Amino acid sequence: MMENHCCEQAARRVETIRKNIDKTAVEAQRDPAEVRLMAVTKTRTAEEVNEVIAAGIDLLGENRAQELCARYEQYDLDRCEIHFIGRLQTNKVRQIIDKVTMIESVDSERLAQEISRQCRKHGIEMDILLEVNIGEEESKGGFPQNELEEAARRIAQLPGLHIKGLMAIPPIEDEEEKARAYFAATKRIFIDIKHKNIDNVSMEILSMGMSGDYSQAILEGSTQVRIGTALFGPRNYPAAQL
Ligand SMILES: *Cc1c(COP(=O)(O)O)cnc(C)c1O
């Protein structure tokens, strides 16, 4: 009974968000199929995550290596893949490398080098996104805008890695206009780099937009929104856990 109730709620939330995404894409004169919905799982139980997978989610976003490893075996991953989206310490790369199909939060060359090294060790290749620190915030990871192209050129040469696009987490803004300006700026960088035609760099994925601002992100060209709260409800966790 209880379980049923939860599944229905998960299904309803997935449906509502998907409808909002589609409506916004159409409003922006874009194909709704261009925008992928990721479920961000931090602090959720494997059970909660499996409910949204049952409701049609085919992409999970993981923030913490430890959390991913603890729940990985319990996930129903037959039709679902995992991207890593959190700050990643180089010494944690080996724990996640065989569990994810993309690392979206590549924010330094040192991290890229370690991912490349682990790929060779495991005989695999890895798709990555470069994280842009679009608000130039001290507290956030990501390449500053003016270092991104150089970094892309160097990282693209590392064996086993394929740069597929950009990820951004803009500063939290009260005004929609300001939030949109950051998304628009990220899209411009995405287009700029695309036009450079760098070997082994294809700008296909623009990962931006979360529960509070995904509509603005889609209006400015996001191809993948990362949603936690709007899918699962408010998070409960000790602040130190993040
Ligand atoms: C937590 C998180 C999200 C989702 O945030 P919500 O506001 O709960 O939707 C998206 N991206 C990253 C990188 C996150 O850490």
Side-chain angles (χ1 to χ4, degrees), residues 121-136:
K121 228 169 148 177
H122 284 79
I124 58 172
E125 314 220 314
M126 185 61 66
D127 289 342
I128 61 171
L129 304 183
L130 301 182
E131 183 175 348
V132 195
N133 189 346
I134 194 65
E136 313 269 323

Side-chain angles (χ1 to χ4, degrees), residues 62 65-66 125 148 173 179 192:
E62 295 284 329
Q66 200 185 329
E125 314 220 314
L148 195 70
E173 293 289 348
D192 271 359

Side-chain angles (χ1 to χ4, degrees), residues 40 42 63 85 167 169 210-212 226-230 235:
V40 176
K42 60 180 179 262
N63 281 80
I85 61 168
M167 191 265 249
I169 313 171
M210 319 204 299
S211 291
R226 306 180 309 264
I227 310 290
T229 314
R235 272 187 291 277

